[in-house]
């Protein structure tokens, strides 16, 4: 009889609950990791609410830190008992999309090899990380050893929000001295703020309506914080830039209002880097879009995955260039994950990220 494990399972819209599942077997290219810490993402909340469809019975979550329990027969260069992370995006790195530089859009080995968001498998198309054990597919390409001396909490942001937020700054093409506005200072927006600083932005304007998040944005590199409850953000950004507009804006929430504001603050020729997960159609305002003739760029990103991306992010933490450990504001046992979802989805008690620990 198969040994069992606890896992957070999508039951129906509005309900994710702990259930018992068999500990999975590994194929030749897989690895089984014992999850030591994971967390909840805004995308998981979209799943909980039924705004993003997944199969009933799927284990959710896509941000694992753990220890290798078992290696597939073809996986080399790793050892059982080794501490690792795996990116939320875990492409095969063998498809046409991957070899074309679009690994996050990995469509696998059939047909043309492209699938929107295809590299996002954990908690989307296969069982995810909010469980005691997790199978990492294509482990050779996706397992990243954790440097000695780094805690679970220090690297917990790497699999998704750090990779995503930094991708927003990278996609924006930020150059030394650029002005940047980051809309929404949730976990991903805060990482985008940190990424803009590391890219060399000369002025970073962070926008939110929660005091704790604006304070954290200052810690991570924002020069100016704007509370949208207190000021007209578009007017204030244009004032701060002498009417010019910012070189880049990063949208990290996924609403019509923030997308539109991110476009309105751009200079002609500026870049709107969009990270938000949108739940309805967007409209582009004609004036802000300069009738399609303003040389604007609108670019979307799904965070890069794979072990090299994870290695680079952990290097930034290990060197002290960035410290995101303070973003973990709450701790829960896996058994209490329903309570953690309730806190996180309602944004109570100053929550940014929760650390969820199986086995506690």
């Amino acid at each position: 009889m198969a040994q069992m494990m606890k896992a957070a399972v999508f039951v129906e819209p509005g309900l994710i609950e702990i259930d018992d599942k068999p500990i999975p077997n590994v194929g030749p290219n897989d690895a089984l990791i014992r999850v030591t810490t994971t967390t909840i993402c805004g995308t998981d909340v979209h799943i909980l609410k039924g705004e993003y469809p997944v199969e009933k019975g799927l284990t959710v979550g896509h941000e694992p830190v753990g220890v290798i329990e078992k290696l597939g027969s073809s996986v080399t260069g790793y050892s059982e008992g080794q501490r690792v992370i795996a990116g939320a995006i875990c492409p095969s790195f063998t498809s046409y999309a991957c070899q074309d530089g679009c690994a996050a859009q990995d469509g696998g080995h059939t047909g043309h090899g492209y699938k929107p968001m295809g590299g996002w498998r954990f908690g989307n198309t296969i069982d995810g990380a909010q469980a005691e054990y997790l199978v990492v597919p294509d482990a050779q390409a996706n397992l990243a050893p954790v440097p000695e001396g780094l805690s679970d909490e220090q690297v917990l942001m790497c699999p998704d929000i750090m990779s995503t937020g930094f991708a927003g700054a990278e996609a924006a093409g930020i150059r030394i001295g650029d002005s940047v506005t980051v809309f929404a200072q949730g976990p991903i927006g805060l990482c985008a703020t940190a990424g803009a600083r590391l890219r060399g932005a000369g002025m970073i304007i962070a926008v939110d309506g929660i005091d704790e998040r604006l304070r954290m944005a200052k810690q991570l590199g924002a020069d100016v914080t704007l509370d949208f409850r207190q000021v007209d953000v578009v007017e204030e950004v244009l004032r701060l830039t002498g009417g010019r507009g910012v070189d880049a804006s990063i949208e990290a929430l996924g609403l019509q209002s923030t997308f539109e504001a991110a476009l309105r603050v751009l200079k002609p020729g500026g870049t709107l880097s969009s990270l938000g997960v949108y739940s309805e159609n967007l409209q582009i305002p004609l004036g802000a879009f300069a009738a399609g003739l303003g040389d604007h760029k609108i670019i979307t990103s799904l965070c890069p995955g794979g072990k090299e991306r994870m290695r680079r992010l952990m290097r930034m933490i290990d060197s002290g260039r960035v410290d995101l450990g303070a973003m973990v504001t709450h701790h829960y046992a896996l058994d209490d994950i329903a309570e953690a979802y309730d806190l996180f989805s309602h944004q109570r008690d100053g929550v940014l990220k929760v650390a969820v620990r199986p086995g506690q």
Side-chain angles (χ1 to χ4, degrees):
M1 185 175 177
Q3 289 185 290
M4 305 298 284
M5 67 174 186
K6 293 183 184 297
V9 171
F10 174 74
V11 179
E12 60 187 16
L15 183 59
I16 288 173
E17 64 181 15
I18 296 294
D19 199 0
D20 290 325
K21 281 189 166 185
I23 296 175
N25 295 317
V26 297
N29 297 314
D30 304 333
L32 181 69
I33 66 172
R34 176 173 56 82
V35 179
T36 53
T37 309
T38 186
T39 184
I40 297 171
C41 177
T43 311
D44 298 325
V45 175
H46 282 288
I47 290 170
L48 172 64
K49 292 179 178 178
E51 296 170 346
Y52 184 89
V54 299
E55 291 289 329
K56 292 182 179 181
L58 185 81
T59 302
V60 289
H62 50 261
E63 299 161 276
V65 184
V67 174
I68 297 174
E69 184 81 8
K70 187 175 181 181
L71 291 167
S73 58
S74 297
V75 183
T76 61
Y78 300 88
S79 58
E80 293 177 359
Q82 188 174 18
R83 289 181 68 224
V84 291
I85 63 173
I89 309 303
C90 51
S92 67
F93 291 97
T94 58
S95 70
Y96 287 106
C98 291
Q99 295 193 21
D100 191 27
C102 298
Q105 315 302 328
D106 182 3
H109 306 297
T110 57
H112 48 69
Y114 289 80
K115 180 185 178 185
M117 303 180 290
W120 171 29
R121 294 192 270 182
F122 294 139
N124 182 20
T125 57
I126 64 174
D127 277 343
Q130 291 170 17
E132 293 181 299
Y133 293 91
L134 171 73
V135 169
V136 178
D138 298 295
Q140 193 83 46
N142 289 296
L143 285 180
V146 176
E148 280 189 39
L150 292 186
S151 68
D152 280 18
E153 289 188 359
Q154 283 179 288
V155 300
L156 183 58
M157 305 304 135
C158 296
D160 185 359
I161 66 162
M162 184 181 181
S163 188
T164 300
F166 281 24
E170 291 161 332
I174 295 169
R175 298 175 298 176
I176 290 172
D178 272 354
S179 54
V180 182
T181 304
V182 184
F183 285 86
Q185 296 298 299
I188 285 176
L190 287 167
C191 289
T193 295
R197 179 187 182 188
L198 290 167
R199 294 277 296 188
M203 179 171 65
I204 301 170
I205 304 165
V207 181
D208 206 280
I210 299 175
D211 293 339
E212 295 94 340
R213 295 185 173 197
L214 292 172
R215 283 194 292 271
M216 183 68 73
K218 279 275 193 180
Q219 286 184 41
L220 292 175
D223 301 289
V224 179
T225 57
L226 299 180
D227 185 338
F228 66 79
R229 300 169 302 178
Q230 308 293 333
V231 299
D232 183 309
V233 170
V234 174
E235 283 185 7
E236 186 62 13
V237 171
L238 292 175
R239 187 191 70 79
L240 288 166
T241 57
R244 175 179 183 269
V246 291
D247 298 285
S249 57
I250 301 173
E251 196 289 327
L253 187 58
L255 297 178
Q256 171 70 37
S257 58
T258 46
F259 178 87
E260 188 169 319
L263 188 58
R264 291 188 185 278
V265 299
L266 276 183
K267 72 174 186 182
T271 300
L272 193 169
S273 178
S274 172
L275 296 174
V277 179
Y278 300 96
S279 299
E280 55 189 29
N281 289 337
L282 290 172
Q283 293 185 323
I284 295 179
L286 184 66
F289 197 48
L293 302 173
D295 286 328
H296 297 113
K297 302 176 190 72
I298 299 175
I299 185 167
T300 65
S301 300
L302 178 59
C303 65
K307 63 185 179 185
E308 171 62 4
R309 177 68 169 184
M310 296 300 107
R311 183 196 68 81
R312 286 173 176 265
L313 297 178
M314 287 189 288
R315 171 62 66 192
M316 299 303 287
I317 294 167
D318 204 19
S319 66
R321 298 286 193 282
V322 65
D323 181 5
L324 302 175
M327 292 176 64
V328 178
T329 54
H330 294 74
H331 298 78
Y332 286 89
L334 181 62
D335 283 337
D336 300 323
I337 200 166
E339 183 182 335
Y341 265 99
D342 188 65
L343 172 81
F344 186 75
S345 62
H346 291 97
Q347 296 296 301
R348 292 197 310 271
D349 194 22
V351 65
L352 282 172
K353 292 289 277 187
V354 299
V356 178
R357 298 190 185 277
Q360 286 194 352

